[in-house]
Amino acid sequence: MSDVETWRAVAAATGETDRAAAERGVRLAYRGAGLAEPERIIWAGSPLAGARTARSLGDAGRSVRDEVRTHPWAEERRRVHDALGPAGWAEHWNTTGARLWDTTRALAERIRTGIVEACADRPAEAAEIRAVLLDAVLGQHDAAWLAAFDGRGERLEGLAQVARHAGWWWPYERAVVICERPVALHRDEAGRLDRGDGPALAYPDGFALYAWRGMPVPAEFLTGLTSLTPERIRTEANAELRRVMLEYYGYDRYLNESGARPVHRDETGVLWRIALDGDEDVAMVEVVNSTPEPDGTYRTYWLRVPPSVSTAKAGVAWTFGVEEEMYAPVRQT
């Protein structure tokens, strides 16, 4: 497994935490920063619990995140950049950290948002939690940067060891708050949080995030997906949730069961349109594969196209990235 794939696995790791190994990493990071080791290491069941615990510490001293993470990070980046040169650093980053950056950053931001939302009914706490989140080291979700520096020195080894074995953590002068890793993580092929029958991200203390193809949804919303009807979809006031319902239910099934009518038909297929209150129309082209299946039947496909499309041929052409006038396949497949 390459270094990048190793760190990709670290970022997505779930299950039991190796607390002893993580605590050794914490102490190594403190020593590497020239600090005395923390007097206490406090474990929390999730980043939410970690943030609340860090907020409540009264005798932990100031945050030492800059000494433990920010300064060593910046110095290592400068050292590697100087050694490789601007072009060499850009190439190195593109083949290491950049390959993990988007998904890990998006996941960390979603966790931050979920933490603040969990405190939304207590505005004073929410404001304080936002400030506490600035002191967090992201552990496994720092994988993109750690992948870029892996094997190039020992300065960041303490941070890397914590990341391999635990989640987010808060370093203070005399105490550290450190979080367990998730117990479940479900993502789609694009790396977005995605699950239709439970939490897409869950921690051992119950903190969880629910999402469908990257879009946050309420937990109770998912429980209703298995009993959807066209009428329930049509009457959903929230346009984004209605779009999720349509994706889950299936556009073709919705068309068949909602009494939708075709708006255009030509040699390429049939254009259907679903009008939705408060949202753009959904346009679909129904096409039939010209190549028979092994059993002699012909498979029907549904292609989602822009609502501005007015003919079936224009819709099919759009899926190939060409104008309607340019689309003239020898054989449609």
Side-chain angles (χ1 to χ4, degrees):
M1 185 183 293
S2 70
D3 289 344
V4 173
E5 293 309 309
T6 296
W7 283 105
R8 191 188 305 279
V10 167
T14 59
E16 188 175 355
T17 298
D18 187 335
R19 291 190 174 191
E23 290 179 8
R24 287 194 296 270
V26 166
R27 296 187 176 96
L28 179 58
Y30 270 64
R31 293 196 302 271
L35 299 171
E37 295 181 9
E39 299 167 7
R40 293 183 294 153
I41 297 179
I42 306 162
W43 281 87
S46 68
L48 172 60
R52 282 175 164 161
T53 301
R55 169 178 169 265
S56 68
L57 292 175
D59 58 349
R62 65 178 179 84
S63 170
V64 293
R65 182 181 187 275
D66 284 348
E67 292 93 326
V68 169
R69 180 190 186 275
T70 306
H71 296 161
W73 213 277
E75 291 166 8
E76 282 299 286
R77 184 188 184 282
R78 187 180 307 113
R79 183 182 66 81
V80 176
H81 183 277
D82 291 347
L84 299 177
W89 165 256
E91 180 181 359
H92 175 67
W93 172 251
N94 285 335
T95 58
T96 56
R99 294 169 60 186
L100 309 180
W101 178 253
D102 288 341
T103 53
T104 53
R105 180 182 59 175
L107 181 57
E109 285 301 315
R110 181 66 190 93
I111 291 171
R112 287 191 187 95
T113 301
I115 291 170
V116 174
E117 288 175 346
C119 307
D121 59 339
R122 297 176 292 278
E125 181 188 19
E128 293 178 3
I129 289 292
R130 287 191 186 93
V132 168
L133 288 174
L134 298 176
D135 294 332
V137 180
L138 302 187
Q140 68 183 119
H141 298 144
D142 272 333
W145 279 109
L146 292 167
F149 296 121
D150 197 9
R152 292 185 165 270
E154 298 180 355
R155 183 69 189 278
L156 303 179
E157 182 51 37
L159 293 170
Q161 186 165 330
V162 179
R164 294 187 189 101
H165 299 290
W168 294 21
W169 56 292
W170 281 259
Y172 297 96
E173 285 180 298
R174 293 183 291 278
V176 165
V177 177
I178 187 167
C179 300
E180 302 282 354
R181 295 190 301 200
V183 293
L185 173 64
H186 299 268
R187 295 190 284 194
D188 63 11
E189 63 280 358
R192 303 171 299 183
L193 289 178
D194 178 45
R195 189 180 179 190
D197 60 353
L201 178 71
Y203 282 86
D205 66 355
F207 175 62
L209 301 177
Y210 295 80
W212 172 264
R213 296 182 182 174
M215 195 188 97
V217 297
E220 60 274 13
F221 172 80
L222 293 178
T223 62
L225 289 180
T226 56
S227 58
L228 283 176
T229 64
E231 179 63 20
R232 172 68 186 92
I233 296 172
R234 189 164 47 247
T235 57
E236 171 56 51
N238 184 302
E240 290 187 335
L241 294 182
R242 188 168 57 220
R243 199 171 298 125
V244 172
M245 291 176 172
L246 279 168
E247 289 181 355
Y248 186 91
Y249 197 73
Y251 292 103
D252 54 342
R253 182 183 174 194
Y254 182 84
L255 287 168
N256 288 331
E257 297 180 7
S258 65
R261 295 180 178 275
V263 297
H264 183 266
R265 187 189 306 267
D266 59 30
E267 71 279 6
T268 62
V270 182
L271 175 65
W272 298 78
R273 192 179 306 279
I274 307 171
L276 299 174
D277 294 338
D279 198 4
E280 66 180 16
D281 290 354
V282 172
M284 306 286 293
V285 178
E286 177 187 2
V287 298
V288 178
N289 192 353
S290 60
T291 302
E293 299 295 311
D295 63 359
T297 61
Y298 290 82
R299 187 173 179 181
T300 298
Y301 292 89
W302 297 84
L303 309 175
R304 178 83 184 268
V305 298
S308 58
V309 166
S310 59
T311 69
K313 185 177 180 181
V316 175
W318 177 85
T319 67
F320 287 96
V322 299
E323 298 295 326
E324 180 177 3
E325 295 77 14
M326 301 294 293
Y327 178 68
V330 175
R331 182 181 68 178
Q332 183 179 344
T333 58

